[in-house]
Amino acid sequence: MPGTKTFTATTLTVADANDYMRGGLVMAYASKTTTETFTTLADVTGLSLTFTAIASRLYKIRVYGLLRSSVTTDVAQLLIADGSNNTISVSQVITGNSSFGVTASCFALVNPAAGSCTYKARCVRSDGTGIVTLDCAATYPAYIIAEDIGLA
């Protein structure tokens, strides 16, 4: 059990090391600095990551971006999906003034099987008639990040 072991003069094993938190170890990261538009549900170009999960570890996946629309009352969603397009988290915003992006951020805690796993950002206009824009640039990128946060 994590936190219950006491260290002695013996060598720390790999199994021992895996029992302890890794301090938010970044497993994978991707960012995007060019805008992209959406009306129907689609992957956000460039905001996908793949990493090798370790058995019994808990990972936090986060997605962040600014959403705006050509219609001020549209509802937009920024989502996290797994590699099979199963939605695991959603951030929903009313786009407000169409000339300014509204912060959309969501996260999910996942405990995948050991091995390669993929997560990605997706976006959609979930209500309304406008064109939703994921607004980003070099000074305010959209991103997705996966962090190891400890034992599951």
Side-chain angles (χ1 to χ4, degrees):
M1 174 174 272
T4 60
K5 292 186 179 184
T6 55
F7 295 101
T8 62
T10 60
T11 304
L12 179 67
T13 68
V14 170
D16 291 334
N18 284 334
D19 278 346
Y20 293 93
M21 288 185 60
R22 297 176 183 197
L25 175 69
V26 174
M27 301 301 292
Y29 172 83
S31 64
K32 177 179 182 65
T33 59
T34 56
T35 61
E36 188 171 353
T37 59
F38 301 88
T39 52
T40 59
L41 182 61
D43 294 351
V44 177
T45 304
L47 289 189
S48 175
L49 48 81
T50 300
F51 64 93
T52 302
I54 299 169
S56 301
R57 301 296 294 181
L58 191 60
Y59 299 94
K60 179 169 51 173
I61 313 298
R62 288 186 291 161
V63 171
Y64 168 86
L66 297 174
L67 298 175
R68 62 182 167 88
S69 180
S70 58
V71 176
T72 61
T73 57
D74 278 354
V75 177
Q77 293 179 338
L78 186 62
L79 307 92
I80 299 172
D82 64 17
S84 300
N85 289 333
N86 297 307
T87 299
I88 57 175
S89 185
V90 178
S91 175
Q92 181 167 287
V93 297
I94 297 173
T95 55
N97 185 323
S98 62
S99 63
F100 299 102
V102 176
T103 299
S105 178
C106 58
F107 77 93
L109 299 179
V110 296
N111 179 13
S116 182
C117 54
T118 298
Y119 296 95
K120 57 188 172 179
R122 305 189 87 202
C123 192
V124 65
R125 181 198 68 222
S126 58
D127 190 33
T129 58
I131 297 171
V132 169
T133 299
L134 177 63
D135 202 6
C136 43
T139 55
Y140 51 95
Y143 66 83
I144 184 169
I145 187 170
E147 298 170 277
D148 181 335
I149 62 170
L151 284 177

